[in-house]
Amino acid sequence: MAETPFTSPDHPALQRIRQAVIDIGSNSVRLVVYDGPRRAPFPICNEKALCGLGRDMSDDGRLNPKAVDGALDVLARFKCLLSELGDPPTLTVATAAVREAKDGRDFVDRIRALGLPVDVIGGGEEATLAACGVVSFEPGVSGLVGDMGGGSLELVSLKEGVADDAVSLSIGPLRLMQQTKGDLKSAAKIIDKAFSEVSWLKAKKGDALFAVGGAWRSIARVNMQLHRHPLPVLHHYELNARQAIETCDLISRQSKSSLEVTPGISSKRIDTLPYAALVMRTLIDAAGLKAVSVSAGGLREGLLYRDLPEDIRRFDPLIAGAAFLGARMAPEASMGDAYAQFTSGAFADETAAQMRIRLATCLLADIGAYFHPDMRADQVFDTSLRAPFYGVTHPERAAIALALFCRHAGAKAPGPAAARSVVAMMSESDQQRATRIGLALRFGAAIAPKAPHAIRLCSLTKDEKRLVFTAPTALKPLYDETAKKRHDALASAFGLAAEMTTA
């Protein structure tokens, strides 16, 4: 499991880095530039072109010349853009279509002529990297990683964050389309045969599938639209097996014209999506999987995670992301740690899982400082809810967002119906806890706004009847009428009486 320490800006996991990955896949060619904490960098530039290198390959296994020319044009653009960004360290990799094409080596030579050192990775390495990407976002998870590319499906068994069995299967949607000439029934037989030859697959019965890849994300996006899910963040979006199968069956039955008007589906994925859905559905049945969880971490993130030292890997990615964002959006970077220390006494009985959400919230407590005062509550709610954090579920996102809303607005629910739907993803007890955290931050902000030294000298403790605020005598003047009212509100949320003492 990831460590969740109170943070220090000097921790190597929080070192700011900028690096890039170019991923040359069977369907898409993508450039992602990352910037942020070394443990959990944010994608700040994400460019994709659906070149279809694995589409319409010749009968003797050569890449489509038009796709090759298009990909080289895209890569030349990427090279130029990287130069304008200061030439950050860049990893360039090619996967199934290039490694299996008869003229793949010639294509690689042309890429290198552009000044892009490229590695053609094998199927086993591709599977391992996909698993590393999932673990980078969800430390310590167990289950089955499935990375659906255009030409192949990589499957990896994970046990508490460690990769075990792995296999690369040549059943990507582009390959299936070409092999079967567009016949889904023939594709189903190929898929069945491929899974039947994976001896360890049935041992995954009852596990969750961590779904990686654009095609499978599109399937999840369709399900999200069907169920009117209130939070349009794909990472950690979860479906049970029945929901996933129903969505896959729906997609497989749709005509091309129906898919064209389905929200969330790229027009260039429409012809391949039924094949990706067929693979997912068959995998769920073949392995007896219980659920599907979408992962934003995949091969590209796995490349970055693979090269991290163990002490950085162990650092909680949510805390790394919150610390980075909070330090850049708040006037005083160390305020988050001060709030975490200040509020800890009021939540002394929290679990480790609850503590990390409180810590992340504290690190983000002042991200609304530069927003208009009338809009801070709503804007911090939206900002924290949709930030590209790793290692956080949808209800946990909602908890952080609600706490930050209450930090500015007090103990009330967000106004817009959409925001209230997000809050409803939490249990009542989790909503109550998030509100209490927000009120504790609101009280701390009344005592000494943007003054971490003063906050660190104060403390909150509680017993069966009282919520006690203790401050040095020299800071007693900070406990004014506004602070007292907010102390009372916080104590009331706990069902306690407020008391102030000096030490």
Side-chain angles (χ1 to χ4, degrees):
M1 292 298 291
E3 294 177 350
T4 307
F6 276 48
T7 55
S8 162
D10 298 326
H11 195 292
L14 300 180
Q15 174 190 0
R16 184 175 182 179
I17 56 94
R18 177 171 290 186
Q19 54 194 328
V21 175
I22 296 175
D23 176 7
I24 304 168
S26 300
N27 196 30
S28 66
V29 177
R30 188 186 292 264
L31 164 68
V32 183
V33 181
Y34 299 87
D35 191 292
R38 194 174 175 197
R39 174 59 184 90
F42 296 172
I44 61 167
C45 174
N46 193 330
E47 295 216 356
K48 176 184 70 176
L50 292 173
C51 298
L53 285 169
R55 184 189 295 267
D56 298 329
M57 294 177 69
S58 67
D59 292 339
D60 63 349
R62 294 179 178 275
L63 297 168
N64 183 323
K66 289 185 178 180
V68 167
D69 290 342
L72 289 170
D73 287 344
V74 170
L75 291 167
R77 168 182 162 75
F78 289 173
K79 174 63 177 173
C80 184
L81 179 57
L82 288 167
S83 177
E84 292 301 316
L85 292 173
D87 283 320
T90 302
L91 297 169
T92 303
V93 296
T95 56
V98 177
R99 71 172 173 255
E100 296 174 9
K102 188 173 183 179
D103 55 347
R105 187 178 296 275
D106 293 338
F107 179 52
V108 167
D109 289 341
R110 294 176 70 181
I111 297 172
R112 289 173 176 160
L114 296 173
L116 292 171
V118 57
D119 291 326
V120 180
I121 59 176
E125 184 180 4
E126 187 175 354
T128 300
L129 288 169
C132 283
V134 170
V135 173
S136 76
F137 273 65
E138 302 296 337
V141 294
S142 297
L144 179 66
V145 174
D147 185 359
M148 172 55 77
S152 63
L153 170 68
E154 276 60 54
L155 293 177
V156 186
S157 173
L158 282 177
K159 185 174 182 180
E160 296 181 353
V162 178
D164 188 7
D165 298 302
V167 66
S168 180
L169 303 174
S170 297
I171 53 172
L174 286 178
R175 188 184 303 276
L176 289 170
M177 281 180 59
Q178 186 159 0
Q179 282 183 311
T180 65
K181 309 298 183 185
D183 182 0
L184 278 172
K185 290 184 178 179
S186 297
K189 294 178 181 178
I190 295 172
I191 297 166
D192 284 335
K193 183 176 185 297
F195 288 143
S196 70
E197 294 173 353
V198 182
S199 60
W200 51 267
L201 197 56
K202 289 192 180 299
K204 305 308 294 177
K205 184 176 181 180
D207 278 0
L209 169 67
F210 294 95
V212 179
W216 279 1
R217 283 195 295 271
S218 292
I219 294 170
R221 193 175 285 112
V222 170
N223 182 270
M224 187 179 280
Q225 296 280 349
L226 289 172
H227 291 271
R228 300 183 183 275
H229 187 67
L231 178 56
V233 173
L234 279 171
H235 178 62
H236 220 300
Y237 180 65
E238 297 178 334
L239 309 78
N240 62 40
R242 179 184 57 78
Q243 291 171 330
I245 287 172
E246 289 175 351
T247 305
C248 290
D249 286 346
L250 176 66
I251 290 170
S252 297
R253 291 196 303 266
Q254 297 300 302
S255 65
K256 183 176 180 181
S257 59
S258 295
L259 289 174
E260 285 174 346
V261 296
T262 302
I265 299 179
S266 167
S267 60
K268 292 187 177 181
R269 287 198 189 276
I270 286 173
D271 55 350
T272 62
L273 198 58
Y275 294 86
L278 185 58
V279 174
M280 177 182 280
R281 193 214 193 286
T282 308
L283 176 59
I284 292 170
D285 279 341
L289 301 173
K290 68 176 182 180
V292 175
S293 178
V294 179
S295 176
L299 180 146
R300 293 179 292 276
E301 292 73 24
L303 284 164
L304 305 183
Y305 184 76
R306 177 192 63 183
D307 297 334
L308 293 179
E310 188 59 32
D311 64 323
I312 296 180
R313 287 188 179 192
R314 287 197 304 266
F315 197 97
D316 190 318
L318 171 61
I319 302 306
F324 179 83
L325 190 63
R328 275 147 189 80
M329 295 184 70
E332 176 51 64
S334 62
M335 200 69 200
D337 265 348
Y339 278 139
Q341 177 183 311
F342 172 70
T343 59
S344 60
F347 300 94
D349 56 350
E350 66 189 353
T351 65
Q354 290 172 331
M355 187 270 282
R356 69 187 290 270
I357 299 303
R358 178 178 59 82
L359 176 53
T361 305
C362 290
L363 293 168
L364 297 167
D366 277 350
I367 62 172
Y370 296 112
F371 297 150
H372 190 283
D374 294 344
M375 299 297 296
R376 282 176 185 157
D378 291 331
Q379 290 181 332
V380 298
F381 183 91
D382 288 338
T383 300
S384 59
L385 192 65
R386 292 169 171 80
F389 294 136
Y390 300 14
V392 60
T393 67
H394 283 203
E396 288 171 340
R397 285 180 178 273
I400 294 170
L402 177 59
L404 293 176
F405 179 88
C406 293
R407 177 254 184 270
H408 290 283
K412 61 181 182 181
R420 293 197 298 273
S421 296
V422 167
V423 171
M425 290 193 296
M426 293 184 282
S427 66
E428 288 189 12
S429 62
D430 286 343
Q431 291 179 40
Q432 181 185 62
R433 176 180 164 80
T435 300
R436 289 172 175 173
I437 293 172
L439 292 177
L441 293 172
R442 185 169 173 79
F443 174 43
I447 293 294
K450 320 301 183 285
H453 175 71
I455 289 294
R456 286 194 177 97
L457 296 175
C458 302
S459 65
L460 284 171
T461 56
K462 64 184 176 73
D463 56 29
E464 293 182 356
K465 295 183 178 181
R466 304 171 302 159
L467 180 68
V468 180
F469 168 66
T470 303
T473 302
L475 297 183
K476 186 176 180 181
L478 295 177
Y479 192 75
D480 64 0
E481 189 62 28
T482 297
K484 185 179 185 307
K485 287 181 179 179
R486 293 188 181 182
H487 188 190
D488 287 340
L490 175 60
S492 178
F494 280 100
L496 302 173
E499 183 176 312
M500 191 274 185
T501 64
T502 57

